[in-house]
Amino acid sequence: MTDPLQTGATIGILGGGQLGRMLSVAASRLGLKTHIYEPGANPPAADVAHACTTASYDDEAALRAFAEAVDVITYEFENIPTSALDLLEPLKPIRPGRRALAVSQDRLVEKAFLSEQGLGTAPFAAVDDEVDLAEAIEEIGTPAILKTRRLGYDGKGQARIMAPEDAEAALADMAGAPAILEGFIEFTREVSVIGARGLDGSVACFDPGENIHRDGILHSTTVPATLSPAQRSDAVLIAAKILNALDYVGVMGVELFVTPKGLLVNEIAPRVHNSGHWTQNGCLIDQFEQHIRAVAGWPLGDGSRHANVMTENLIGADVARVGELAGTNTAIHLYGKAEVKPGRKMGHINRITGPAS
Amino acid sequence: MTDPLQTGATIGILGGGQLGRMLSVAASRLGLKTHIYEPGANPPAADVAHACTTASYDDEAALRAFAEAVDVITYEFENIPTSALDLLEPLKPIRPGRRALAVSQDRLVEKAFLSEQGLGTAPFAAVDDEVDLAEAIEEIGTPAILKTRRLGYDGKGQARIMAPEDAEAALADMAGAPAILEGFIEFTREVSVIGARGLDGSVACFDPGENIHRDGILHSTTVPATLSPAQRSDAVLIAAKILNALDYVGVMGVELFVTPKGLLVNEIAPRVHNSGHWTQNGCLIDQFEQHIRAVAGWPLGDGSRHANVMTENLIGADVARVGELAGTNTAIHLYGKAEVKPGRKMGHINRITGPAS
């Protein structure tokens, strides 16, 4: 299917969290319906979707019925079980495609792919056992971080190795899962580029944003990022290179470290990204609509920035502060999650700090 | 109920068209759910609503169940049958309130209300029969327009009287319905103000937009409108006066004629308004969110304008042009209506014509 989706067509979204919710809203602007597939009850995305299937990723009948009901399939998270993708792939187009998922689901494959593209990353080595780990520490040195190759996010499945004697405990933390050792990077800041690539191969990247993490979770993103014009251009070119190398369709988040040796790629996320929420109030076409346009086979929209914006995430109890935050020049985005839990992403605000500079 | 609605609360919306659809999207941004009540099948708003009741406005059981399921009730059109409102009113708050509906459902009551406020309108007179009409023509003169008092929109239920001898045919067009004769107004342009009033009585108006109609349907709205600073200020003050006089809660559209004798009020609509769609891409908080904020008891948001915008409606077959219109600086808004009919509002585009001036 390469014709653009027409009014009334349905985009299937794997995952029903806040990203699916905001994708669904963007789809509605373009006259498209969404159908959410989510194992958990009462997913935030279902409040604004045409349909929602509540079923696990190993429910073959539910997956088949879902594929039958939609015109194209996308996703709001990268850790979709391979068996589900294998079942869906022959039935309907999956965008972004399997290669992007394969690369981003496995930190080792991801780092190897980035290196093949000539892009800088942290030094890394595969670690399956104690022998690998000892060799990797010798090669990379300490401090370093041992991470499971798969299924890690927001700082989970990671152990720091400050000195070689931490190795044993760190390996135990991996609970037998294949791992990767990554060298520490001395970086001055972290930025991310939200890039989009259309079905026609055209690429459009939003301005880089500057990210601050707290407790391993993204706290804020500020645009413009503190970058030289050359760094800004490099950041966008890196994102475009990755998008093209993967023959990618959709929006991708590319996290970069700014280091004295240049920009290093931290990780890529084959989906709309928390650090791109500023585009909702800083651009005519936001990351969610850009993703829907790409997945639907539409031309990409105008993602140029008209404002300086600071996004601040509302994590857990932060959401109670929404009243005091809801002042001048601030847009509120809540995800409709009734239960507040520590570390849970409840919403975000976009504060306009001035016209685009 | 005067406490602001919390995450997960539900706003009931009477009417499931495109205005309900865009209200629903705005509610989702604030963590609120919507429940649509609409007699017609497959309403556009249901694609992005938590729930939808398909039932007529005289289905008492359905109305009761709807009221039971929601926390507050609002509407996307003003011609809701009185019997339905009578049933709903004791069950849940209706915002905007009944007075605004009573005024705007009847052109005669509306004109009388506006006159009581000291606001200028076209000359008008009630017409129930031939004798009334003859007297009204003598008083107001020709050309004039005879309109049914209730249930008219987009030029329907209206007959022009260019000379006294047109009177008989015009009255026949009313099919026995109570009518109002309105004198022609020589106006240089039509503008509208989208005003909002919160539950706390605070008022916030968007910049006036300048409207062009074709075949009795709004074709385009341009901001800024061609107005002197004094006219702009007058327009906003008129809207605020009406909002306060009605103890209004929500967004209202106020259509004004610019005449050599000053601004005259054409009509008011107690709801979000087609001429306010530019706010979606010209303001941080658009008319839909402003309405939801008011109805939910939240503080009004920052509706200041950051861009010059031209909204163009896509009527009927216009929607086929969306591809060629989807260029630089243009945001697309489609309503998800599968069937194209002449005169049917299929979507609109917002073209950014520059930074706010």
Side-chain angles (χ1 to χ4, degrees):
Chain A
M1 190 199 72
T2 54
D3 286 341
L5 294 189
Q6 299 296 311
T7 288
T10 302
I11 297 178
I13 302 178
L14 299 169
Q18 63 270 11
L19 299 179
R21 180 179 173 98
M22 294 183 277
L23 284 169
S24 209
V25 161
S28 83
R29 283 201 295 271
L30 303 181
L32 303 170
K33 296 184 170 82
T34 58
H35 185 139
I36 306 298
Y37 192 102
E38 163 66 46
N42 302 320
D47 287 349
V48 283
H50 177 66
C52 178
T53 297
T54 305
S56 74
Y57 286 111
D58 56 12
D59 183 335
E60 294 193 6
L63 287 168
R64 277 182 207 286
F66 170 75
E68 183 68 28
V70 306
D71 296 290
V72 62
I73 296 170
T74 189
Y75 41 87
E76 58 136 36
F77 76 118
E78 57 271 41
N79 292 317
I80 304 152
T82 302
S83 61
L85 296 166
D86 287 343
L87 187 151
L88 293 171
E89 194 173 28
L91 303 176
K92 287 291 155 66
I94 299 177
R95 296 176 186 157
R98 291 294 295 276
R99 179 131 187 258
L101 281 166
V103 164
S104 62
Q105 284 184 343
D106 186 316
R107 293 178 198 280
L108 183 65
V109 177
E110 183 180 357
K111 285 276 193 299
F113 161 76
L114 294 168
S115 297
E116 280 162 25
Q117 303 305 315
L119 301 174
T121 69
F124 65 95
V127 172
D128 288 337
D129 55 31
E130 289 167 33
V131 177
D132 289 344
L133 182 52
E135 287 177 6
I137 291 175
E138 189 155 313
E139 182 192 329
I140 292 170
T142 55
I145 312 179
L146 190 64
K147 300 177 178 179
T148 55
R149 283 173 54 176
R150 301 178 74 92
L151 283 174
Y153 65 98
D154 286 347
K156 292 166 193 164
Q158 306 195 359
R160 291 192 182 203
I161 298 180
M162 302 308 289
E165 50 269 31
D166 299 338
E168 195 177 345
L171 196 60
D173 276 357
M174 302 298 108
I180 178 175
L181 188 73
E182 298 180 6
F184 257 41
I185 296 177
E186 299 224 6
F187 60 90
T188 50
R189 45 183 53 92
E190 188 209 292
V191 299
S192 55
V193 174
I194 309 300
R197 188 166 177 276
L199 200 56
D200 61 358
S202 61
V203 168
C205 293
F206 293 102
D207 253 7
E210 184 166 343
N211 302 324
I212 293 176
H213 289 79
R214 284 189 190 164
D215 304 323
I217 300 177
L218 182 66
H219 169 68
S220 67
T221 302
T222 303
V223 283
T226 314
L227 293 172
S228 67
Q231 286 172 322
R232 192 163 305 180
S233 157
D234 277 357
V236 167
L237 288 172
I238 288 170
K241 185 163 200 169
I242 295 169
L243 290 166
N244 285 327
L246 294 171
D247 194 19
Y248 195 85
V249 176
V251 159
M252 171 182 280
V254 179
E255 293 181 12
L256 301 163
F257 291 131
V258 181
T259 80
K261 295 174 189 165
L263 297 173
L264 302 183
V265 182
N266 178 31
E267 62 178 27
I268 64 176
R271 53 170 169 80
V272 288
H273 198 255
N274 196 164
S275 70
H277 292 352
W278 66 267
T279 59
Q280 293 176 306
N281 300 103
C283 301
L284 188 63
I285 308 297
D286 69 15
Q287 66 163 344
F288 300 99
E289 180 168 334
Q290 207 68 303
H291 185 77
I292 294 292
R293 281 171 173 253
V295 164
W298 282 43
L300 297 179
D302 182 353
S304 59
R305 186 165 63 81
H306 62 69
N308 291 350
V309 189
M310 180 177 166
T311 299
E312 199 172 325
N313 279 319
L314 303 174
I315 309 290
D318 290 350
V319 74
R321 291 180 54 224
V322 73
E324 70 193 80
L325 294 168
T328 308
N329 281 329
T330 303
I332 295 171
H333 299 267
L334 299 180
Y335 307 151
K337 299 175 183 177
E339 197 185 347
V340 179
K341 294 181 195 171
R344 193 176 201 199
K345 290 174 179 157
M346 304 300 292
H348 65 274
I349 55 167
N350 284 331
R351 197 185 304 280
I352 305 299
T353 57
S357 68
Chain B
M1 190 199 74
T2 54
D3 287 342
L5 294 188
Q6 299 296 310
T7 288
T10 302
I11 297 178
I13 302 177
L14 299 170
Q18 62 271 10
L19 299 180
R21 180 180 173 98
M22 293 183 279
L23 284 169
S24 208
V25 162
S28 83
R29 283 200 295 270
L30 303 181
L32 303 170
K33 295 184 170 81
T34 58
H35 185 140
I36 306 298
Y37 193 101
E38 162 66 46
N42 301 319
D47 288 351
V48 283
H50 178 66
C52 178
T53 297
T54 304
S56 74
Y57 286 111
D58 56 11
D59 184 336
E60 295 191 7
L63 287 168
R64 277 182 208 287
F66 171 74
E68 182 68 30
V70 306
D71 296 289
V72 61
I73 296 169
T74 188
Y75 42 88
E76 57 135 37
F77 75 119
E78 57 271 40
N79 293 315
I80 304 152
T82 302
S83 61
L85 295 166
D86 287 344
L87 187 151
L88 293 170
E89 195 172 25
L91 302 176
K92 287 290 156 66
I94 299 178
R95 296 176 186 156
R98 291 294 294 275
R99 177 128 189 260
L101 280 167
V103 163
S104 61
Q105 283 183 343
D106 186 317
R107 293 178 199 281
L108 184 64
V109 177
E110 182 180 357
K111 286 277 191 298
F113 161 76
L114 294 168
S115 296
E116 280 162 25
Q117 303 305 315
L119 301 173
T121 69
F124 65 96
V127 172
D128 288 337
D129 54 30
E130 288 166 33
V131 177
D132 290 345
L133 182 53
E135 286 176 7
I137 290 176
E138 190 156 313
E139 181 191 330
I140 293 170
T142 57
I145 312 179
L146 190 64
K147 299 177 178 179
T148 55
R149 284 172 54 176
R150 300 178 74 93
L151 283 174
Y153 65 96
D154 285 349
K156 292 166 192 164
Q158 307 195 359
R160 292 191 181 202
I161 298 180
M162 302 309 289
E165 52 269 30
D166 298 339
E168 194 178 346
L171 196 60
D173 276 357
M174 302 297 108
I180 177 174
L181 187 73
E182 298 180 6
F184 257 42
I185 296 178
E186 298 223 7
F187 61 90
T188 51
R189 46 182 54 91
E190 187 208 293
V191 299
S192 55
V193 175
I194 309 300
R197 188 167 178 276
L199 200 56
D200 61 358
S202 62
V203 168
C205 293
F206 293 102
D207 254 7
E210 183 166 342
N211 302 324
I212 293 176
H213 289 79
R214 283 189 190 165
D215 305 323
I217 300 177
L218 183 66
H219 169 67
S220 68
T221 302
T222 303
V223 283
T226 315
L227 293 173
S228 68
Q231 286 173 322
R232 192 163 304 182
S233 158
D234 277 356
V236 167
L237 289 172
I238 288 170
K241 184 162 200 167
I242 295 170
L243 290 165
N244 286 327
L246 294 171
D247 194 18
Y248 195 85
V249 177
V251 159
M252 172 182 280
V254 179
E255 292 182 13
L256 300 163
F257 291 131
V258 182
T259 80
K261 295 174 190 166
L263 297 173
L264 302 183
V265 182
N266 178 32
E267 63 177 26
I268 64 176
R271 52 169 170 81
V272 287
H273 198 255
N274 196 164
S275 69
H277 292 353
W278 66 267
T279 59
Q280 293 176 306
N281 300 104
C283 302
L284 188 63
I285 307 297
D286 69 16
Q287 66 163 346
F288 300 99
E289 180 169 334
Q290 206 68 304
H291 185 77
I292 294 292
R293 282 171 172 254
V295 164
W298 282 44
L300 297 179
D302 182 353
S304 60
R305 187 166 62 82
H306 61 67
N308 292 350
V309 189
M310 179 177 166
T311 299
E312 198 171 326
N313 278 319
L314 303 174
I315 309 291
D318 289 351
V319 74
R321 290 179 54 222
V322 72
E324 69 192 82
L325 295 168
T328 309
N329 281 328
T330 302
I332 295 171
H333 299 266
L334 299 180
Y335 308 151
K337 299 177 184 176
E339 197 185 346
V340 179
K341 294 181 195 171
R344 191 175 203 198
K345 290 174 180 159
M346 304 300 294
H348 65 273
I349 55 168
N350 284 331
R351 197 184 304 279
I352 305 298
T353 57
S357 70

